Amino acid sequence: MHGGQMLLEEPVRLASVLAPSKTKFFPSLTKIVGTLGSSSRSVETIEACLTAGMSVARFDFSWLTAEYHQETLDNLKKAVNNVKKPCAVMLDTVGPELQVRNTPGEPIELKAGNHVIITPDLSRVPSAEILPINFTDLAKAVKKGDTIFIGQYLFTGSETTSVWLEVLDTAGKDITCLVKNSARLAGSIFTMHVSQVAISLPTLTSSDKQVISTWGLQNNVDLISLSYTRHAEDVRELREFLKSHNLLTTQIYAKIENFEGLDHFDEILQEADGIILSRGNLGIDLPPEKVFVFQKTAIQKCNMAGKPAIITRVVDSMVDNLRPTRAEATDVANAVLDGTDGILLGAETLRGLYPVETIRTVGQICAEAESVYNQSHQFKRIVQYVGEPMSHEESVASSAVRAAIKVKAAVIVVFTSSGRASRLIAKYRPPMPVLAVVFPQEGMGSVELSSFGITQARQCLAVRGVYPILAPCSKGDASMSKEESGLKLALGYGRSVGILKPYDRAVIFEKIGDSSVVKIIEFEDS
């Protein structure tokens, strides 16, 4: 297992700790996914989040209604238009989530050493003795000694409102548990997670299908986070469902949350477009000392496959605090050094007091970690993994990154219609931004044309270091080829945001006929 590779240059590196961080238009190459909610749904706040570095907006359907999320999405569209920064839309499914229903809403005080009964009888009044749940067959799945976790930590970002239970006995559909720690459960719904126990519920639930076929279709969502992905078949089922509802281009990010997803990780990775490592639930299924092993191994597998990896639960304390803990800051940096493509913020931006500051701080930590990332080591590992003979596309993509490093290019420019070429370049982890000029596919209708290009462009926003530029459906200058107009567009954009200066070099990755080629140019400000 490799990971956390860092380039040490002492004493220069230690001296740089005292130097102020550089301010850049792109806060970091690592992407930041922000969950929008009560603290971050106004147009003004979303504008600030985009400016701070958010590139993907997550809509978590575990909470509130489609109408609520639609209002938030409408505000996102206004904010994107105002600040002229694109943002991908991610729909996060609920999946087979077990929930304790506290309909009265009164706080429940649980004391360590006491017994509590878990029951599927939702007519029972929740109390310190009875906890009603939304699943009838849990008693069949658990056995004496199993661990059950209940609380609002996924929503609050804090585990102080959560309780650990140990299964003592089952009687019919009821489960008697020992309370392991004292806790005060407040709210109407508490998430339940049973450690290393298979739950016989579908990954893609009927409510998930309803949301996707209505809200998802209406908004042509870019990405779907498939919660509790346990098998490759889960991804295939969702893809077929998307096809049946004409969501042909929506990408699927498999969310790995339990031991079943871990057991079938390789097959899931092969089917999914990207992976989200949900460390909250994984931290319950796995012993604490094993979580980092899975994180590093899983990210490495994603890197080798050239598929984005996103991790969660990094700065929980920023729900209530302006600064992360030292451990959290180090955790973010280590994730970047491991090779993660993105950081997903949940409660921190959903309901936290400092959503904008959290995005900015995480971006700054990522940028600092990127400055000491051992790109050369990672490059060699990927080339070795790909092996020989390389495919033509892999060969040219790796050569483009190698050339960009050798000539100290400021950017790599990629022409693409599907986004695949830019992802292939990003696989080799270039230390400079990749400007992906996205051309709408030829042969499509005028309405489909613009929609297709927009979706592919926004999907690039979940990939490390890739920044999309949507090419117009028709060339402005008839005397220029499509590639020439695309290059002009990319260089103009690079100059406007300050990443290209006169005499900077740029590496161009393009297709000519059936072949991919690499060119090096020197930027001249005209």
Side-chain angles (χ1 to χ4, degrees):
M1 179 192 68
H2 295 84
Q5 297 296 330
M6 180 173 172
L7 192 63
L8 289 173
E9 299 175 3
E10 292 190 286
V12 177
R13 178 54 52 203
L14 289 179
S16 72
V17 173
L18 301 176
S21 300
K22 296 178 180 178
T23 301
K24 298 180 289 185
F25 180 81
F26 301 128
S28 65
L29 298 176
T30 306
K31 300 305 177 65
I32 298 177
V33 181
T35 305
L36 299 186
S38 57
S39 293
S40 53
R41 66 191 304 259
S42 71
V43 174
E44 295 75 20
T45 302
I46 297 174
E47 287 176 1
C49 288
L50 292 169
T51 303
M54 181 180 76
S55 60
V56 180
R58 170 177 172 256
F59 293 81
D60 184 1
F61 276 81
S62 298
W63 305 94
L64 298 169
T65 64
E67 291 74 23
Y68 179 92
H69 290 303
Q70 188 61 51
E71 290 176 7
T72 307
L73 179 53
D74 291 342
N75 287 345
L76 171 65
K77 292 176 180 177
K78 293 175 185 175
V80 164
N81 186 60
N82 291 345
V83 300
K84 301 295 185 284
K85 279 197 171 186
C87 185
V89 173
M90 174 183 285
L91 186 163
D92 201 323
T93 64
V94 178
E97 184 174 87
L98 302 183
Q99 296 176 338
V100 174
R101 299 293 176 85
N102 182 24
T103 307
E106 296 297 324
I108 300 172
E109 300 281 353
L110 296 172
K111 299 296 182 184
N114 289 351
H115 291 185
V116 63
I117 294 175
I118 296 174
T119 178
D121 185 354
L122 295 176
S123 67
R124 303 285 295 274
V125 178
S127 67
E129 291 76 37
I130 294 287
L131 294 177
I133 62 169
N134 65 337
F135 181 45
T136 58
D137 293 330
L138 186 60
K140 296 179 182 178
V142 300
K143 63 183 183 302
K144 183 178 179 179
D146 282 344
T147 298
I148 297 176
F149 183 86
I150 297 174
Q152 281 197 317
Y153 79 107
L154 292 176
F155 179 62
T156 63
S158 171
E159 296 187 8
T160 59
T161 58
S162 306
V163 66
W164 294 89
L165 306 176
E166 179 185 331
V167 175
L168 297 178
D169 192 18
T170 62
K173 294 187 175 184
D174 292 347
I175 306 164
T176 302
C177 299
L178 173 67
V179 180
K180 303 290 287 184
N181 65 288
S182 298
R184 186 173 191 264
L185 303 181
S188 58
I189 296 177
F190 315 124
T191 299
M192 170 186 286
H193 189 92
V194 187
S195 180
Q196 298 201 17
V197 171
I199 301 299
S200 57
L201 286 172
T203 300
L204 189 65
T205 66
S206 57
S207 61
D208 290 330
K209 291 179 179 178
Q210 193 274 333
V211 167
I212 293 169
S213 62
T214 54
W215 194 90
L217 179 60
Q218 173 188 337
N219 295 293
N220 195 29
V221 294
D222 307 303
L223 314 165
I224 290 182
S225 166
L226 183 59
S227 295
Y228 296 95
T229 304
R230 295 168 287 183
H231 305 273
E233 183 57 36
D234 296 337
V235 181
R236 288 192 286 267
E237 180 189 355
L238 174 56
R239 203 170 304 278
E240 285 302 314
F241 183 79
L242 293 175
K243 287 180 181 177
S244 70
H245 287 79
N246 205 34
L247 284 166
L248 304 179
T249 58
T250 298
Q251 290 187 341
I252 301 171
Y253 277 57
K255 202 173 182 186
I256 308 300
E257 309 199 46
N258 58 24
F259 80 102
E260 290 180 277
L262 189 155
D263 279 348
H264 303 104
F265 185 84
D266 290 346
E267 307 95 90
I268 292 170
L269 176 60
Q270 189 172 355
E271 291 292 333
D273 298 300
I275 296 289
I276 297 175
L277 303 180
S278 182
R279 302 191 308 170
N281 283 332
L282 280 171
I284 297 170
D285 255 18
L286 298 176
E289 67 273 15
K290 297 289 188 180
V291 175
F292 85 94
V293 178
F294 174 67
Q295 173 177 314
K296 291 177 181 292
T297 304
I299 291 176
Q300 179 185 336
K301 286 176 178 288
C302 291
N303 288 170
M304 296 303 111
K307 294 188 177 182
I310 296 172
I311 71 162
T312 70
R313 303 304 298 272
V314 289
V315 287
D316 288 349
S317 72
M318 291 194 75
V319 169
D320 300 307
N321 299 291
L322 190 55
R323 287 168 62 94
T325 66
R326 294 178 296 277
E328 288 172 336
T330 303
D331 188 26
V332 173
N334 278 330
V336 174
L337 297 177
D338 287 343
T340 190
D341 285 76
I343 304 291
L344 190 154
L345 302 173
E348 303 97 324
T349 55
L350 173 72
R351 59 166 292 277
L353 299 178
Y354 308 102
V356 178
E357 292 82 355
T358 300
I359 293 169
R360 184 179 298 115
T361 298
V362 169
Q364 289 169 342
I365 297 170
C366 290
E368 197 66 28
E370 289 160 7
S371 71
V372 296
Y373 180 74
N374 195 335
Q375 191 276 339
S376 175
H377 175 82
Q378 180 73 348
F379 184 91
K380 291 174 183 175
R381 282 172 56 199
I382 297 173
V383 169
Q384 184 178 16
Y385 175 84
V386 172
E388 295 180 352
M390 272 187 172
S391 68
H392 177 73
E393 287 181 326
E394 290 273 4
S395 176
V396 178
S398 59
S399 297
V401 175
R402 183 186 286 113
I405 294 169
K406 292 290 186 183
V407 303
K408 294 182 169 55
V411 297
I412 298 175
V413 178
V414 183
F415 301 135
T416 182
S417 58
S418 66
R420 184 173 180 274
S422 58
R423 290 192 294 272
L424 197 56
I425 291 285
K427 174 179 179 177
Y428 291 90
R429 291 301 191 254
M432 66 286 294
V434 177
L435 301 184
V437 181
V438 181
F439 294 104
Q441 271 194 346
E442 296 178 1
M444 302 182 74
S446 59
V447 176
E448 297 172 309
L449 196 65
S450 58
S451 173
F452 185 91
I454 291 171
T455 300
Q456 273 58 43
R458 289 197 301 232
Q459 287 168 345
C460 291
L461 291 165
V463 183
R464 179 193 184 275
V466 179
Y467 298 91
I469 304 165
L470 184 62
C473 298
S474 58
K475 295 182 299 180
D477 187 344
S479 66
M480 299 175 69
S481 68
K482 182 174 74 171
E483 288 73 19
E484 288 173 332
S485 63
L487 180 58
K488 182 179 179 181
L489 187 66
L491 297 180
Y493 175 78
R495 178 184 58 194
S496 69
V497 300
I499 60 174
L500 266 180
K501 305 182 299 297
Y503 309 111
D504 275 347
R505 288 172 175 171
V507 167
I508 316 301
F509 179 88
E510 64 176 317
K511 296 198 78 168
I512 296 179
D514 294 329
S515 299
S516 300
V517 298
V518 173
K519 296 189 295 186
I520 301 171
I521 66 167
E522 190 171 275
F523 174 62
E524 296 179 2
D525 198 358
S526 56

